[in-house]
Amino acid sequence: MVRRYLALIILMVVVVPLLSAGQSDKVIIMKIEGPITEGVAEYMANTIRYAHANGASGVLVVLNTDGGFLKPTEKIVTEISSSPVPVAVFVPPGGRAFSAGTFILMASDKACMGPGSSIGAAEPRPKDEKVSNALASWLKSLAKSSGRNETAAELFVKENLALASDEALRYGVVDCVAKDIKSFLDEIGWPANIEEYMPDLRISILLLITDPINTWVLFLAGVVLVLLGLAHPTYVLEGVGAILVILSLYALGLMEANLASILLMLLGAATIFLELKTGHGFLALAGAIIASIGLFLLYESSPLISLDVSAEVIVVVVITLAGLAGFYLYKIREALLRKPSLLSPDQLIGRKGIVKVSINPPKEGVVLIGSELWTAYADEPLREGDRVKVVSVKGFKVKVVRI
């Protein structure tokens, strides 16, 4: 008998505190704003892992989106379904859980919407009966597993149904309507102690570049910077432009962009580069327009995302900037044509100049000869400010020696 009491005391003093130590009165919050992309899927996975590792009571997703890509939506739903901690979704007042966002909300353990918010409008674009049936079946299955209205789930896809927050509550799509996060947590009995999980640098970059509009802007900005850099004697603009182009192509790969949209964007880039040959500004503008068609095709190939008005505004802005860049190159070319050509070796050899960017063989530098900057190389290190003389010309580069 004494042993039993002793064992019970040990259980209460040692084991029970250990078990309670694994529990936390904390809720981890993550915020999803904008399109559902690969970056968002990675963010979701990291947040759930963090919550589980820290013994959190659950993960609360504050969701406001007009849609997104199918593959990352599938990943997010899988993460929620297999999560070791409960996952709740809250659509803030005035927010939206459209298209891909509807799937995320329907997969959650708890769901709530703020006043003035909406859910639904999950019909695939472009409309395809086979895709529509598949998505409707999937959403209906998610609704069934979470105890939500299966009929509404099916209509979200097949009839493009959209419900306001009070309607969603009435038809059993969400668990409650709350004015803020605290009210939602009180409603479902979760602790009010919250911690927002912020994405790390890698996830932040993914969130930035996997937004289709950002990807497109990065691509065109990179192409224009490379183009402008070719009209200058340094390599800074070319380097920055090349990095932006590489990042955008990497993002297109993550989005599994269709071949037609990628080819059109590359064709647009090639057309912009032809501006170097003509110098009239028209090809830079035409190239931006061709690349814009590639962006529209990227949206068209994704059933759960749509192009909104802000995207169209950005397209107009970037096309305008491309036109200005072409006009700038035209003015440069026009100015050069008015000046006497210095491309002949007879006119450059023997000229004296000043080093503007240090030369450290085999690294090249820049020298000022007369009123023009030239890419230069030498057999010895030359510092900024050294006086030099041209001894030979190779293409658009000059070889110099110290005076």
Side-chain angles (χ1 to χ4, degrees), residues 233-235 354-368 373-388 400 402:
T234 60
Y235 298 106
I354 299 174
V355 177
K356 288 297 183 181
V357 177
S358 299
I359 302 173
N360 294 298
K363 186 179 178 181
E364 300 168 342
V366 178
V367 297
L368 177 65
L373 293 171
W374 289 84
T375 301
Y377 62 98
D379 294 329
E380 60 178 327
L382 297 171
R383 294 177 300 178
E384 186 177 333
D386 286 350
R387 291 183 58 79
V388 294
V400 296
R402 192 196 311 272

Side-chain angles (χ1 to χ4, degrees), residues 342-345 348 374-375 377 392-399:
L342 295 178
L343 299 181
S344 170
L348 275 179
W374 289 84
T375 301
Y377 62 98
S392 65
V393 179
K394 185 177 181 181
F396 290 97
K397 299 178 183 177
V398 296
K399 182 177 181 180

Side-chain angles (χ1 to χ4, degrees), residues 143-297:
K144 183 178 181 180
S145 63
S146 57
R148 298 196 169 92
N149 190 321
E150 297 177 41
T151 302
E154 190 172 21
L155 292 177
F156 283 149
V157 177
K158 290 194 171 182
E159 301 295 334
N160 211 33
L161 174 69
L163 297 176
S165 55
D166 55 341
E167 294 173 321
L169 177 62
R170 189 187 316 144
Y171 295 126
V173 174
V174 295
D175 301 297
C176 64
V177 173
K179 63 179 181 179
D180 53 32
I181 291 173
K182 184 180 182 304
S183 301
F184 176 35
L185 294 177
D186 290 341
E187 181 75 25
I188 61 177
W190 283 19
N193 181 22
I194 60 176
E195 175 190 345
E196 184 175 353
Y197 180 75
M198 302 301 293
D200 56 25
L201 179 61
R202 174 178 169 274
I203 298 299
S204 297
I205 293 175
L206 279 178
L207 288 170
L208 175 68
I209 67 174
T210 54
D211 184 318
I213 288 293
N214 292 344
T215 304
W216 182 81
V217 171
L218 284 174
F219 179 79
L220 272 193
V223 170
V224 171
L225 284 177
V226 171
L227 183 62
L228 293 177
L230 293 175
H232 293 272
T234 60
Y235 298 106
V236 177
L237 293 178
E238 294 99 313
V240 174
I243 291 172
L244 295 183
V245 170
I246 291 170
L247 279 175
S248 62
L249 291 176
Y250 173 67
L252 286 171
L254 289 178
M255 289 186 279
E256 296 187 338
N258 62 70
L259 184 60
S261 61
I262 294 176
L263 287 177
L264 278 172
M265 291 179 72
L266 292 176
L267 177 61
T271 305
I272 292 174
F273 273 108
L274 287 176
E275 187 61 48
L276 285 174
K277 188 175 181 66
T278 62
H280 294 302
F282 298 118
L283 288 179
L285 185 60
I289 293 173
I290 293 172
S292 300
I293 297 173
L295 173 68
F296 286 111
L297 285 182

